[in-house]
Amino acid sequence: MNIQFDILRKSRALLLKELEGLTLEQLHKIPDGFKNNIAWNVAHLVVTQQLLHYKLAGLDCLCPDDLIEAHKKGTAPTKVFTEEEFEEVIDLLIGLPDTLEEDFNAGIFKSYNEYATSTGIVLNSMEIAIPFNNFHEGIHYGIIRSIKKFL
């Protein structure tokens, strides 16, 4: 399972490189043909990882409830982050993979509530949820790269 945590950290490092040099205005721009922006996608990754790993395991999420409500599946961008707020999201993006690995290795994930994803994959354990989240993050990494082309 260690490779899955490494993949998560590496994909997030690649994502951070994509954000370099972007202004707050660019992070919030929704180009024609898209339904969200880069800022929403970044927050969505933080939120989805927490929901797939912690909430479905019956544990408390490690990010604020208002962030979850505004960026969970099925939402659209309504929040305009300040620089400070977006930095907090970035801090979560960077730090939560290490916390996930520590918690997994500590054995805190004792149960898992089965969840059928919109892709048709059924998650019924952390051993499936962790790689699925990496797949999900790859999708949004591609979306972010696509949005950047229109900024």
Side-chain angles (χ1 to χ4, degrees):
M1 188 61 77
N2 288 344
I3 188 64
Q4 295 298 328
F5 301 115
D6 292 341
I7 290 168
L8 179 57
R9 280 189 284 271
K10 180 64 175 173
S11 69
R12 289 189 173 188
L14 290 170
L15 171 60
L16 290 172
K17 282 198 162 303
E18 294 296 329
L19 303 181
E20 288 177 4
L22 295 179
T23 66
L24 204 54
E25 182 180 335
Q26 288 173 313
L27 291 170
H28 290 93
K29 180 177 171 54
I30 302 174
D32 290 341
F34 290 87
K35 60 183 179 179
N36 50 48
N37 56 39
I38 291 173
W40 182 91
N41 275 277
V42 172
H44 175 71
L45 290 178
V46 169
V47 164
T48 300
Q49 182 267 318
Q50 288 293 293
L51 293 174
L52 290 178
H53 298 150
Y54 288 84
K55 183 161 179 85
L56 288 173
L59 302 169
D60 291 335
C61 292
L62 306 176
C63 65
D65 289 340
D66 61 331
L67 191 70
I68 293 171
E69 287 307 308
H71 299 91
K72 65 186 178 184
K73 179 182 171 183
T75 63
T78 56
K79 168 102 176 124
V80 176
F81 292 102
T82 64
E83 291 278 353
E84 295 78 24
E85 289 170 333
F86 195 68
E87 279 303 316
E88 290 174 17
V89 172
I90 295 300
D91 289 344
L92 291 168
L93 187 83
I94 294 168
L96 288 174
D98 291 338
T99 305
L100 174 65
E101 183 174 23
E102 290 165 10
D103 288 346
F104 183 84
N105 289 334
I108 74 163
F109 301 103
K110 306 250 186 250
S111 63
Y112 197 87
N113 297 307
E114 189 172 287
Y115 175 71
T117 69
S118 57
T119 61
I121 297 170
V122 176
L123 308 179
N124 57 19
S125 71
M126 285 297 287
E127 289 75 15
I128 297 171
I130 291 171
F132 177 82
N133 182 69
N134 287 345
F135 163 74
H136 175 261
E137 297 225 357
I139 291 169
H140 286 275
Y141 173 71
I143 292 168
I144 289 167
R145 291 194 62 186
S146 294
I147 290 172
K148 270 185 72 176
K149 292 178 182 180
F150 296 94
L151 298 180

